[in-house]
Amino acid sequence: GAVVSQHPSWVICKSGTSVKIECRSLDFQATTMFWYRQFPKQSLMLMATSNEGSKATYEQGVEKDKFLINHASLTLSTLTVTSAHPEDSSFYICSADNSGTKTLGEQFFGPGTRLTVL
Amino acid sequence: RKEVEQDPGPFNVPEGATVAFNCTYSNSASQSFFWYRQDCRKEPKLLMSVYSSGNEDGRFTAQLNRASQYISLLIRDSKLSDSATYLCVVREGGSTLGRLYFGRGTQLTVWP
């Protein structure tokens, strides 16, 4: 199956700082990547859809100026949490569509990034 | 109304038991359905797709009822390693590359 990596796997930062999370498709090209957030004992919530070469599409209630998404190439999307606060502490997961498995409709998930804001 | 609703769980079953999870979805135009498995503090991983005619993969059987907009997963002969959270997932209606909608997940614990 297709492989998606994320970096870092975990990060602890001070309130007010910015944190960048990278999502890479390692063995395929992904024109579309998705960013999710998951709080404890809750399901994944889609934050935004990242499109290569164009602006991301944000879900209702997600601040685009706070969660900056850049999808500069077909294998890399980044999420930057700006001016992080303790309430931003969560598990952030990216996923990517592999057009090679279009008929399956499967998305491939990165291993996630656990963010803790002190 | 949520796009995907799942059994709240949790389910605690002994090894060897058969357990069933249910899920309903709201968008009748949805075409793609999946069960994902998520271990604690890990990313979701595809367990199996769900096809209209129902499908089986070893001890796992998935069923789809389009008329009722209902999806199920049956696990036979439960193993300790089956302990995880099972996510019912529906792909945005009519599109194989649309967004996914996740259920809240049902936690399963299999005990020896």
Side-chain angles (χ1 to χ4, degrees):
Chain A
V3 178
V4 175
S5 70
Q6 260 183 262
H7 178 80
S9 55
W10 59 270
V11 58
I12 301 173
C13 69
K14 292 182 179 180
S15 186
T17 60
S18 294
V19 175
K20 179 187 282 189
I21 303 170
E22 292 185 350
C23 177
R24 292 180 187 275
S25 55
L26 298 185
D27 52 359
F28 66 100
Q29 294 184 330
T31 54
T32 303
M33 290 184 173
F34 302 87
W35 286 97
Y36 296 86
R37 180 168 53 181
Q38 186 177 34
F39 292 106
K41 298 191 180 296
Q42 295 187 26
S43 190
L44 278 72
M45 295 300 297
L46 181 66
M47 299 175 66
T49 302
S50 173
N51 303 296
E52 188 268 336
S54 64
K55 291 184 179 181
T57 303
Y58 289 82
E59 294 300 301
Q60 190 173 10
V62 178
E63 300 174 56
K64 62 181 180 181
D65 294 329
K66 180 169 179 62
F67 299 99
L68 301 178
I69 291 173
N70 183 282
H71 194 153
S73 77
L74 287 171
T75 58
L76 173 64
S77 175
T78 61
L79 168 68
T80 300
V81 183
T82 62
S83 187
H85 291 284
E87 57 265 30
D88 297 324
S89 299
S90 187
F91 190 45
Y92 292 85
I93 310 175
C94 71
S95 72
D97 273 316
N98 182 355
S99 59
T101 60
K102 187 186 301 185
T103 55
L104 188 61
E106 178 184 359
Q107 282 186 12
F108 299 91
F109 287 84
T113 298
R114 192 160 300 278
L115 170 65
T116 302
V117 184
L118 302 177
Chain B
R1 181 184 176 186
K2 291 186 178 179
E3 293 283 339
V4 181
E5 300 267 11
Q6 270 187 262
D7 271 350
F11 287 70
N12 298 297
V13 302
E15 268 188 297
T18 295
V19 62
F21 304 140
N22 303 314
C23 165
T24 57
Y25 60 96
S26 61
N27 187 344
S28 60
S30 298
Q31 295 294 322
S32 302
F33 311 92
F34 310 91
W35 283 100
Y36 276 75
R37 169 193 170 132
Q38 186 175 25
D39 293 291
C40 188
R41 293 176 172 267
K42 299 286 187 181
E43 76 277 21
K45 293 189 177 179
L46 180 67
L47 178 66
M48 59 195 303
S49 300
V50 186
Y51 301 122
S52 297
S53 55
N55 48 298
E56 186 175 304
D57 183 2
R59 297 181 293 109
F60 300 85
T61 301
Q63 297 278 355
L64 170 65
N65 184 323
R66 287 188 182 275
S68 303
Q69 294 177 208
Y70 171 94
I71 306 163
S72 66
L73 176 68
L74 183 75
I75 305 175
R76 292 184 300 278
D77 189 23
S78 298
K79 309 291 185 189
L80 296 177
S81 57
D82 293 335
S83 297
T85 297
Y86 290 83
L87 305 173
C88 178
V89 183
V90 175
R91 192 102 189 196
E92 190 169 44
S95 168
T96 55
L97 289 182
R99 61 166 292 179
L100 297 179
Y101 289 92
F102 287 81
R104 189 171 177 175
T106 301
Q107 186 175 352
L108 171 66
T109 300
V110 181
W111 44 274

